[in-house]
Amino acid sequence: MRVMWLHFVFLLTLLGATEGAWIGRQMRKKLVQLRETQSFKSFYTRLGIPKDVLPFSPPIEGYITQPLDHFNRRNNATYRQRYWVNEKFWQHHEGPVFLYIGGESSVSQFSVLAGEHVDLAQTHNALLVSLEHRYYGASINPDGLTLEAIRFLSSQQALADLASFHLFISQKYNLTRQNTWICFGGSYPGSLSAWFRLKFPHLVYAAVASSAPVRAELDFTAYNKVVAESLSDPLIGGSIKCRNAVVEGFRAVDSLLKTGNTTQLERDFSSCERLSGPDDYTEFVSNLADIFMGAVQYNGETPTSDVRKICQLLTAVGLKSAYEGLKAVNRMYMEMMGMNCLENSHEKSLSELRNTNLTVVGVGERQWYYQTCTEFGYYQTCEEISCPFSQLITLKFQLSLCSQLFQVPPDSVRQSVQFTNEFYGADRPKSSRIIFVNGDIDPWHALSVLKNQSHSEIAILINGTAHCANMSPSRASDPPSLQKAREQIAVQVGDWLTAARRRPEENGY
Ligand SMILES: *[C@@H]1O[C@H](CO)[C@@H](O)[C@H](O)[C@H]1NC(C)=O
Ligand SMILES: *[C@@H]1O[C@H](CO)[C@@H](O)[C@H](O)[C@H]1NC(C)=O
Ligand SMILES: *[C@@H]1O[C@H](CO)[C@@H](O)[C@H](O)[C@H]1NC(C)=O
Ligand SMILES: *[C@@H]1O[C@H](CO)[C@@H](O)[C@H](O)[C@H]1NC(C)=O
Ligand SMILES: *[C@@H]1O[C@H](CO)[C@@H](O)[C@H](O)[C@H]1NC(C)=O
Ligand SMILES: *[C@@H]1O[C@H](CO)[C@@H](O)[C@H](O)[C@H]1NC(C)=O
């Protein structure tokens, strides 16, 4: 099943800071596992030390008790929210506070150990804090995923959590107005970063919002349009020929599905079980499409996210048909992911999304799907001609999950999306001191702020980079466009901190 690639805050890190995305669940789970092991490995390798020896005092893990419902004082229920603190760089009294905001997955200690914000914290002697999002990771009550309990999951509640966390940390560390707060986040937390500044300007002086899809959209057709463009982009190893091969390959798959005899497809694409009916068909083509969506969104960040390699397979000389190319891509993907078969059962997908057991590590699929139904939409459909995949990937199919899982009817999803845009200002938020950073091959950039809104609400669009690329620690292999963006962010953050120091009474406004 596809639950969309949004953001995926991978434990971040050395490889790729945080990010999410929406890709199918299966792929996402694997990627998270991969990232987790890799981030540990590369963290230690880079420092040249044996595992389980931290070169400095480890980050502090703590919990803050929060109201379950910030907007109804008669509800006295609470939950415990996890945070991390790294004091290593902090200059007491005057040093700023850098807040890293968590999103739709668990947040590990790496959230205060690695990444662009950590490099900046070192430069500016900042206290590093991060806060896991309510209902994800360890920040959830045992019954939190039931239909009754999940009602208090929303971006508005999350922002209120951030506000009370601000107070909590300020008291714990004896902070004053001298201690300027700047918040950071990528993907959905990128939106939260911008919105925290927008709605609580007295608490946070400035925000960096990376790959933030601040405009909610029910039918996010632009996603696959950008995927198609990226597949044709020679800069990253794509070509028109490659994109056309994708189109043709999916056409062949669709016409086989139309006959209703799916025996050949099941065999050719190693389906775990028989495809029984339209819902499985959609599941299946979504899983195939996910390989391409993930490759574009995370191009260069993971072994399977490599547009160049995929396009080479699809356009190889001697290939008998585009269908054969598609098979080869699927095979390569399954091999890299260590999968024996492709799980295409819609029934299984549904029961996973219905599962109310907690998963403490990784993406909260059920929770995130709930947020798409109640706030953002973001459905990556394929009903427009610009989409290179199967037209079986419909809005109707994705909306039907909202009804089935959460009893949220389509009209309600539509209205919620509209409300979200009215509440936060969509891609024209009226705020100040926010940097919106996007990569132009990342499909999510289509929902972000791409133009300067004012002299201090700034947009940076990076040529040729994918989702949240700027959030990783800098690497020698970074393209010049990315290096330039990092520099621009660093200079701007430095300028804002200088301005705040000069006029502390304005801190926050
Ligand atoms: C919460 O409120 C209910 C009554 O509304 C009360 O019975 C209960 O003791 C309260 N719980 C706590 C933890 O204060
Ligand atoms: C904050 O101030 C209190 C009282 O002055 C002191 O005991 C405590 O150690 C301080 N905490 C920090 C983190 O500086
Ligand atoms: C379905 O397709 C397979 C392979 O293409 C073929 O061997 C089989 O006879 C077909 N079955 C039916 C019922 O048409
Ligand atoms: C949820 O957890 C319970 C208790 O550990 C277990 O028996 C059950 O199989 C789990 N359900 C699913 C769907 O994983
Ligand atoms: C946007 O603002 C930044 C910072 O003030 C500036 O450097 C850049 O030139 C502006 N871009 C445009 C297109 O005006
Ligand atoms: C992006 O970079 C490529 C290669 O470095 C260059 O050819 C292209 O013109 C750039 N595009 C923009 C919009 O700057």
Side-chain angles (χ1 to χ4, degrees), residues 254-490:
D254 276 351
S255 63
L256 280 171
L257 286 173
K258 246 186 220 128
T259 68
N261 180 357
T262 53
T263 317
Q264 191 192 336
L265 285 170
E266 286 150 15
R267 199 185 47 222
D268 287 348
F269 292 91
S270 311
S271 184
C272 297
E273 57 267 295
R274 303 298 314 260
L275 301 174
S276 56
D279 287 344
D280 284 0
Y281 298 176
T282 300
E283 203 79 37
F284 167 58
V285 290
S286 298
N287 280 331
L288 285 186
D290 276 342
I291 301 173
F292 296 91
M293 292 157 75
V296 168
Q297 182 168 318
Y298 288 114
N299 188 41
E301 297 282 327
T302 78
T304 57
S305 308
D306 188 338
V307 171
R308 191 176 305 273
K309 193 180 246 148
I310 281 182
C311 284
Q312 275 164 2
L313 285 173
L314 280 167
T315 58
V317 222
L319 207 59
K320 280 210 301 282
S321 65
Y323 180 84
E324 291 297 319
L326 205 52
K327 268 168 63 178
V329 169
N330 184 53
R331 210 160 36 232
M332 182 273 297
Y333 167 74
M334 288 178 52
E335 255 164 44
M336 299 209 108
M337 293 295 219
M339 294 158 67
N340 299 320
C341 59
L342 208 55
E343 184 55 76
N344 298 312
S345 159
H346 183 58
E347 208 40 58
K348 276 200 186 151
S349 273
L350 275 181
S351 72
E352 273 187 42
L353 286 169
R354 284 204 177 100
N355 184 0
T356 57
N357 288 358
L358 304 185
T359 31
V360 173
V361 175
V363 179
E365 300 290 354
R366 176 173 165 86
Q367 300 93 304
W368 179 249
Y369 213 98
Y370 178 78
Q371 289 200 264
T372 68
C373 297
T374 52
E375 297 191 84
F376 307 121
Y378 291 150
Y379 301 114
Q380 295 146 325
T381 59
C382 195
E383 294 170 277
E384 290 207 342
I385 192 79
S386 57
C387 179
F389 313 120
S390 168
Q391 297 201 347
L392 292 176
I393 306 171
T394 61
L395 180 62
K396 191 160 169 249
F397 181 84
Q398 302 190 48
L399 278 176
S400 73
L401 292 189
C402 294
S403 313
Q404 290 179 66
L405 298 168
F406 306 114
Q407 296 164 20
V408 177
D411 263 354
S412 164
V413 184
R414 207 164 268 125
Q415 281 160 20
S416 299
V417 166
Q418 197 178 344
F419 172 79
T420 298
N421 285 333
E422 278 161 17
F423 190 73
Y424 295 120
D427 51 4
R428 315 212 44 192
K430 279 246 181 307
S431 184
S432 60
R433 291 192 213 107
I434 304 178
I435 311 176
F436 291 95
V437 196
N438 284 281
D440 71 356
I441 64 166
D442 172 20
W444 290 98
H445 85 259
L447 299 180
S448 195
V449 175
L450 304 178
K451 291 202 173 117
N452 288 355
Q453 301 295 298
S454 68
H455 73 282
S456 76
E457 228 184 322
I458 299 158
I460 299 176
L461 186 60
I462 312 170
N463 185 8
T465 64
H467 200 58
C468 297
N470 62 291
M471 299 184 75
S472 318
S474 58
R475 284 180 287 196
S477 58
D478 289 340
S481 57
L482 178 53
Q483 289 172 21
K484 203 171 137 241
R486 289 185 193 288
E487 179 62 24
Q488 203 179 336
I489 295 163

Side-chain angles (χ1 to χ4, degrees), residues 67-82:
L68 197 57
D69 185 358
H70 285 280
F71 309 124
N72 176 9
R73 287 297 160 191
R74 273 185 295 185
N75 181 348
N76 60 7
T78 59
Y79 79 100
R80 274 159 39 95
Q81 186 171 29
R82 176 163 64 179

Side-chain angles (χ1 to χ4, degrees), residues 80-390:
R80 274 159 39 95
Q81 186 171 29
R82 176 163 64 179
Y83 66 86
W84 296 94
V85 181
N86 180 355
E87 303 176 355
K88 184 184 174 218
F89 310 118
W90 192 40
Q91 197 174 64
H92 293 250
H93 308 304
E94 306 216 324
V97 181
F98 287 1
L99 166 64
Y100 178 89
I101 301 173
E104 73 282 13
S105 69
S106 56
V107 168
S108 76
Q109 58 178 329
F110 289 108
S111 60
V112 291
L113 286 178
E116 181 181 47
H117 61 295
V118 177
D119 295 344
L120 289 170
Q122 188 158 15
T123 307
H124 297 290
N125 307 313
L127 179 66
L128 274 163
V129 298
S130 69
L131 186 65
E132 195 168 63
H133 196 291
R134 57 166 52 209
Y135 288 86
Y136 295 95
S139 301
I140 179 169
N141 288 332
D143 70 344
L145 291 179
T146 63
L147 204 49
E148 168 68 15
I150 207 171
R151 285 179 297 143
F152 304 110
L153 167 59
S154 73
S155 60
Q156 290 183 55
Q157 297 278 5
L159 293 177
D161 285 338
L162 287 169
S164 64
F165 181 62
H166 183 285
L167 178 63
F168 172 83
I169 290 291
S170 298
Q171 288 173 345
K172 197 172 162 83
Y173 288 90
N174 301 330
L175 303 180
T176 67
R177 293 223 145 197
Q178 299 286 338
N179 305 104
T180 304
W181 285 63
I182 297 188
C183 58
F184 297 81
S187 205
Y188 164 50
S191 298
L192 291 173
S193 180
W195 295 337
F196 193 39
R197 168 70 191 146
L198 174 76
K199 297 290 187 186
F200 296 88
H202 56 298
L203 298 184
V204 61
Y205 189 78
V208 180
S210 301
S211 304
V214 285
R215 181 160 59 84
E217 187 154 83
L218 184 71
D219 190 355
F220 185 14
T221 55
Y223 185 96
N224 282 324
K225 191 160 180 242
V226 179
V227 171
E229 280 160 12
S230 298
L231 289 171
S232 353
D233 186 352
L235 185 58
I236 55 168
S239 62
I240 302 282
K241 201 172 159 206
C242 175
R243 190 202 53 202
N244 290 348
V246 176
V247 172
E248 234 179 275
F250 272 89
R251 247 186 232 144
V253 167
D254 276 351
S255 63
L256 280 171
L257 286 173
K258 246 186 220 128
T259 68
N261 180 357
T262 53
T263 317
Q264 191 192 336
L265 285 170
E266 286 150 15
R267 199 185 47 222
D268 287 348
F269 292 91
S270 311
S271 184
C272 297
E273 57 267 295
R274 303 298 314 260
L275 301 174
S276 56
D279 287 344
D280 284 0
Y281 298 176
T282 300
E283 203 79 37
F284 167 58
V285 290
S286 298
N287 280 331
L288 285 186
D290 276 342
I291 301 173
F292 296 91
M293 292 157 75
V296 168
Q297 182 168 318
Y298 288 114
N299 188 41
E301 297 282 327
T302 78
T304 57
S305 308
D306 188 338
V307 171
R308 191 176 305 273
K309 193 180 246 148
I310 281 182
C311 284
Q312 275 164 2
L313 285 173
L314 280 167
T315 58
V317 222
L319 207 59
K320 280 210 301 282
S321 65
Y323 180 84
E324 291 297 319
L326 205 52
K327 268 168 63 178
V329 169
N330 184 53
R331 210 160 36 232
M332 182 273 297
Y333 167 74
M334 288 178 52
E335 255 164 44
M336 299 209 108
M337 293 295 219
M339 294 158 67
N340 299 320
C341 59
L342 208 55
E343 184 55 76
N344 298 312
S345 159
H346 183 58
E347 208 40 58
K348 276 200 186 151
S349 273
L350 275 181
S351 72
E352 273 187 42
L353 286 169
R354 284 204 177 100
N355 184 0
T356 57
N357 288 358
L358 304 185
T359 31
V360 173
V361 175
V363 179
E365 300 290 354
R366 176 173 165 86
Q367 300 93 304
W368 179 249
Y369 213 98
Y370 178 78
Q371 289 200 264
T372 68
C373 297
T374 52
E375 297 191 84
F376 307 121
Y378 291 150
Y379 301 114
Q380 295 146 325
T381 59
C382 195
E383 294 170 277
E384 290 207 342
I385 192 79
S386 57
C387 179
F389 313 120
S390 168

